[in-house]
Amino acid sequence: MAIELRPAIALDLWHEATLALVRLEGHDLSLRQMAILLHVYLVPPPHTVRGLAATLCVTKPVITRALDTLGEMGFVTRVRDPVDGRNVIIKRTVEGALHAERIGDLIVAVGKRI
Amino acid sequence: MAIELRPAIALDLWHEATLALVRLEGHDLSLRQMAILLHVYLVPPPHTVRGLAATLCVTKPVITRALDTLGEMGFVTRVRDPVDGRNVIIKRTVEGALHAERIGDLIVAVGKRI
DNA sequence: CTAAAACGATACGGACCCGAAACAAGGGCT
DNA sequence: AGCCCTTGTTTCGGGTCCGTATCGTTTTAG
């Protein structure tokens, strides 16, 4: 299932996709926030603050604040873990799924245009 | 030359690439800065502040500040246009070319691993 | 039952970036 | 020369995000 990309094509793809995202959303999502969003929606749950911090190699407050922002946008929800009250489970939302899908479509469109 | 990407694969690719970039550089390059860097290195010169502002749909000060940052990192240089002293030509550097190439390699590596 | 550890959220000081407006410098035209 | 337009930079007030350290809650170990 590996994708064969020659370096020049890969860079072009990334270039156009980045450009499209910057134009589309201004500054709505930073690189980190996008990484968190996609990780939550593409990797099987459950997702915790600690786990996200580990996979992104950042500190926990970064994740907390990013989740605050993503929560305000309606892209994720936080629920306390019923079996271990210390954990917080990050839940997906319809809005967030739509946004992730939108990003995927954008990349597909860019790929077609190259 | 079009790349055929199914949405799920495209999202996975973008997800892994974003994750790798976040892990690699922490917060060195924002989405806008990366868009500027790639644009300068992938589109034939000359590049001006005004032109970049138009292609990114942002204001000129944004470009000026981003070029300040990219300049401090050694990724671009600014030279006044000899024929029209109002323009500033953005020049490439060896360091910047290496960094762009590094990003390309990273995406290729991610594509192979999926 | 008490002490230590784990997890997430918050306080704080500092750094960065934003957009609008004002500013300097260059060029074109009469 | 004088005026006006273009180009890029800087200033200003405001907002966001960072990392470290600390706090509150919950769980686990002794």
Side-chain angles (χ1 to χ4, degrees), chain B residues 6-34:
Chain B
R6 284 181 326 184
I9 304 288
L11 260 187
D12 254 353
L13 181 68
W14 186 264
H15 168 221
E16 293 292 339
T18 305
L19 225 55
L21 276 174
V22 168
R23 277 196 280 245
L24 181 62
E25 359 194 17
H27 205 94
D28 278 352
L29 281 190
S30 77
L31 211 62
R32 290 186 178 180
Q33 290 166 344
M34 188 151 37

Side-chain angles (χ1 to χ4, degrees), chain B residues 53-112:
Chain B
T55 50
L56 292 208
C57 293
V58 294
T59 59
K60 286 186 292 175
V62 171
I63 304 294
T64 294
R65 283 185 291 252
L67 290 178
D68 288 344
T69 305
L70 291 174
E72 281 174 16
M73 296 175 179
F75 292 165
V76 295
T77 314
R78 274 179 278 194
V79 180
R80 241 192 216 272
D81 186 350
V83 312
D84 186 340
R86 291 170 298 182
N87 294 329
V88 165
I89 308 290
I90 290 99
K91 291 281 196 184
R92 304 171 181 173
T93 67
V94 177
E95 193 88 20
L98 283 177
H99 194 72
E101 193 178 325
R102 223 174 294 141
I103 295 179
D105 292 344
L106 188 148
I107 297 172
V108 171
V110 168
K112 270 190 192 137

Side-chain angles (χ1 to χ4, degrees), chain A residues 2-3 9 15 23 39 55 114, chain B residues 2-3 9 23 39 55 111 114:
Chain A
I3 305 175
I9 304 288
H15 168 222
R23 278 196 279 245
H39 195 78
T55 49
I114 289 184
Chain B
I3 305 176
I9 304 288
R23 277 196 280 245
H39 196 77
T55 50
I114 289 184

Side-chain angles (χ1 to χ4, degrees), chain A residues 24-102:
Chain A
L24 180 61
E25 356 194 20
H27 206 94
D28 277 353
L29 282 190
S30 77
L31 211 61
R32 291 186 178 179
Q33 290 166 343
M34 187 150 39
I36 294 176
L37 180 75
L38 292 182
H39 195 78
V40 168
Y41 280 87
L42 294 181
V43 174
H47 297 285
T48 66
V49 173
R50 173 176 172 72
L52 288 174
T55 49
L56 293 208
C57 295
V58 295
T59 59
K60 285 187 291 177
V62 170
I63 304 295
T64 295
R65 283 184 293 251
L67 290 179
D68 288 344
T69 305
L70 290 175
E72 283 174 15
M73 296 176 180
F75 292 166
V76 295
T77 314
R78 275 178 279 195
V79 180
R80 228 164 240 289
D81 184 349
V83 312
D84 187 339
R86 290 172 298 182
N87 294 329
V88 165
I89 309 290
I90 290 97
K91 292 279 197 186
R92 304 171 181 172
T93 66
V94 176
E95 192 89 20
L98 283 178
H99 194 71
E101 194 178 324
R102 225 173 293 142

